[in-house]
Amino acid sequence: MAPRIPLVRRLGARHLVLALAATALAVPPAAEPVEALHTPPRTAFESSNGARWTGGAEEQSFLAAVGRGGDRVSVDRIGTTEQGRPLQLVGIGDRHPGATTVLLICSQHGDEPSGREACLTTVRDLAYTEDPATRTFLSRTRILVVPTANPDGRAANTRGNSDGVDINRDHIALRTAEARAIATVIRDRRPEVIYDLHEYGATPPRYDKDLFVLWPRNPNVTRQVHDASRTLSESYVRPTAGDAGYSSGHYGVWTDPVTGDPVKQTAGDGQERILRNAAGIKHAVGLLIESRVDAVTDAEKADPAVNNRRRVASQLAALDGLFRFADRQRGRIGAATAASRAAGFTDRGPVRLGGADNEPAEPAEILRDPPCGYRLSAGRFADVKDELALHGVTFRPDGDGAYVPLRQSARNLVPLLLDRRATYHLTEGQPDPAC
């Protein structure tokens, strides 16, 4: 197993806690003592050397301690789950409008905890760093973290939330409190980069890398955002993970174990309701990251804690690549996201209701001459006005209902929400052909 690498290694950050494998001390399930004001707190996962995941109450104590660690950290409540658990957003770094904003969404699926643990220790390491290079990075970068995007699912160790809904299939409908909170952050904080941390079950020998990654494939993502996202994957995250000793591949694509050639694709399409794709349509450079759950070595099979440590360490290696990308490519990131936001005011090209970057949309799925907008009756508007607002879609009164023009930043999103032919549309708007 490759050791955990220092966070923001390429920036020279000082690693602030001992490597997970350096201690064999486990802690009992009871909460740990409150940390001193300037002493970096540790997660229960770290203190148990990977023997157990950090509990909900322990997370709250940990974040409270991190929040007391300095002026550069904020911890805000952005929502509440059906079972009353807090949805929280941690902010670290520069709040200046010109800073590059990076958003980490951790453990949308409650039974995929390694990304959450990586996010928690990342929050701590950045909050307490005294390393000059890392502090320079934070002086021009705003890191936003949703440490547990599905608290009810994490408490129950289930993929879905307390209602059994897969949050990562709710980024169009926005029916869950969890997806609504994420949409609010994206709308209000306008992150340039969104990074979504998950885990997967391997199918050897054709689908069993340490990490799988994938950029937004939806064909309505602008070329600038799409290409920057691929650069994040292919030139930063995967090479950095490889340097740390972890194998990687493209999520959902099975490969021949001898040649490495693609065999078939089983996931990773262009569905707009998945965060990876929704984020791209909303102008953010982004990436899905998936670490392998399954034990591989004899040591991992004999001791689940060894397997757990590898899962978290691989996520941390991938995060290192993300931060290197954010630091070195901030000019390109800003240009790509700005161009994407501006395109909706001038673009007159087609909108695609299906397909992906590697699978052309069928002719019936292409709006070759999109309408100028969509009219909504009073009843239909009442049903979806909150969701439109959460998506950041502009609309105006139209009689008793509303009119949603295509000429706006959210141009490529509007038909996916309102056209009756779109697979996951919110409601059926009446297309307006007269511009």
Side-chain angles (χ1 to χ4, degrees):
M1 183 193 79
R4 173 179 172 176
I5 60 176
L7 184 66
V8 201
R9 179 185 56 191
R10 304 299 191 196
L11 301 176
R14 180 171 60 89
H15 192 32
L16 296 173
V17 293
L18 296 176
L20 292 176
T23 175
L25 297 177
V27 296
E32 296 180 339
V34 176
E35 300 287 344
L37 182 61
H38 296 296
T39 301
R42 305 184 74 209
T43 65
F45 178 83
E46 292 174 301
S47 297
S48 68
N49 201 24
R52 65 186 186 87
W53 307 109
T54 303
E58 291 166 330
E59 176 185 332
Q60 296 307 305
S61 297
F62 176 85
L63 291 178
V66 170
R68 294 192 297 268
D71 294 338
R72 71 170 74 107
V73 182
S74 63
V75 181
D76 298 310
R77 189 167 184 151
I78 56 173
T80 304
T81 70
E82 183 70 22
Q83 294 182 345
R85 292 184 174 88
L87 292 158
Q88 293 176 294
L89 178 71
V90 182
I92 309 164
D94 199 327
R95 295 177 175 85
H96 189 274
T100 301
T101 301
V102 177
L103 173 62
L104 310 182
I105 303 295
C106 317
S107 294
Q108 285 196 78
H109 295 146
D111 57 354
E112 300 172 6
S114 73
R116 170 178 178 259
E117 298 292 346
C119 285
L120 289 172
T121 55
T122 294
V123 163
R124 186 267 322 286
D125 288 354
L126 291 177
Y128 280 83
T129 185
E130 297 296 334
D131 176 74
T134 305
R135 297 190 78 163
T136 297
F137 171 74
L138 292 174
S139 73
R140 51 186 182 176
T141 312
R142 182 67 170 164
I143 306 296
L144 300 175
V145 184
V146 180
T148 307
N150 182 5
D152 292 350
R154 176 78 289 268
N157 195 35
T158 58
R159 179 180 176 89
N161 67 1
S162 58
D163 292 325
V165 178
D166 185 337
I167 297 166
N168 202 30
R169 302 297 184 274
D170 190 39
H171 294 288
I172 286 293
L174 301 181
R175 301 306 185 198
T176 63
E178 297 87 352
R180 293 169 79 87
I182 293 170
T184 301
V185 172
I186 295 173
R187 181 195 64 190
D188 295 347
R189 307 300 181 98
R190 293 169 61 131
E192 285 98 346
V193 182
I194 298 177
Y195 195 78
D196 187 21
L197 290 76
H198 288 262
E199 294 193 85
Y200 84 100
T203 308
R206 293 179 173 83
Y207 195 62
D208 61 348
K209 304 294 186 183
D210 294 315
L211 289 166
F212 281 119
V213 301
L214 197 62
W215 51 89
R217 284 196 182 274
N218 188 280
N220 297 297
V221 176
T222 62
R223 176 55 56 185
Q224 297 96 321
V225 166
H226 174 274
D227 290 353
S229 299
R230 286 205 66 166
T231 296
L232 167 60
S233 168
E234 304 303 278
S235 299
Y236 287 88
V237 170
R238 293 187 64 195
T240 304
D243 289 345
Y246 299 108
S247 60
S248 67
H250 294 147
Y251 176 70
V253 179
W254 290 30
T255 57
D256 185 288
V258 176
T259 67
D261 294 333
V263 174
K264 64 178 178 178
Q265 183 171 333
T266 61
D269 58 18
Q271 283 186 49
E272 60 267 25
R273 62 179 181 164
I274 296 171
L275 180 60
R276 165 177 55 85
N277 291 312
I281 298 170
K282 292 182 177 182
H283 320 298
V285 175
L287 205 63
L288 166 76
I289 190 80
E290 301 258 359
S291 60
R292 178 174 55 194
V293 170
D294 312 80
V296 180
T297 65
D298 290 340
E300 289 183 6
K301 293 173 183 177
D303 184 356
V306 178
N307 179 38
N308 294 343
R309 293 198 299 270
R310 187 261 308 159
R311 290 156 64 182
V312 175
S314 65
Q315 292 274 7
L316 287 164
L319 279 168
D320 191 42
L322 167 68
F323 292 134
R324 191 157 56 97
F325 170 79
D327 190 55
R328 295 186 180 181
Q329 296 280 335
R330 65 180 68 250
R332 178 183 179 183
I333 294 166
T337 57
S340 181
R341 292 184 184 280
F345 294 97
T346 59
D347 192 359
R348 297 293 184 270
V351 176
R352 291 165 176 81
L353 305 179
D357 65 352
N358 63 341
E359 181 183 4
E362 297 293 333
E365 297 175 318
I366 303 175
L367 301 179
R368 298 193 179 278
D369 187 17
C372 298
Y374 293 85
R375 286 191 166 86
L376 299 176
S377 66
R380 292 187 186 277
F381 178 59
D383 287 342
V384 301
K385 64 180 180 180
D386 289 345
E387 287 72 31
L388 293 177
L390 286 166
H391 280 301
V393 171
T394 298
F395 49 82
R396 62 175 183 263
D398 183 59
D400 292 335
Y403 183 77
V404 184
L406 246 64
R407 191 173 183 180
Q408 59 172 293
S409 184
R411 175 188 188 265
N412 288 350
L413 177 62
V414 169
L416 302 177
L417 301 175
L418 301 180
D419 198 287
R420 64 179 179 80
R421 291 167 289 181
T423 304
Y424 305 106
H425 61 270
L426 295 176
T427 191
E428 294 185 14
Q430 178 184 353
D432 173 22
C435 296

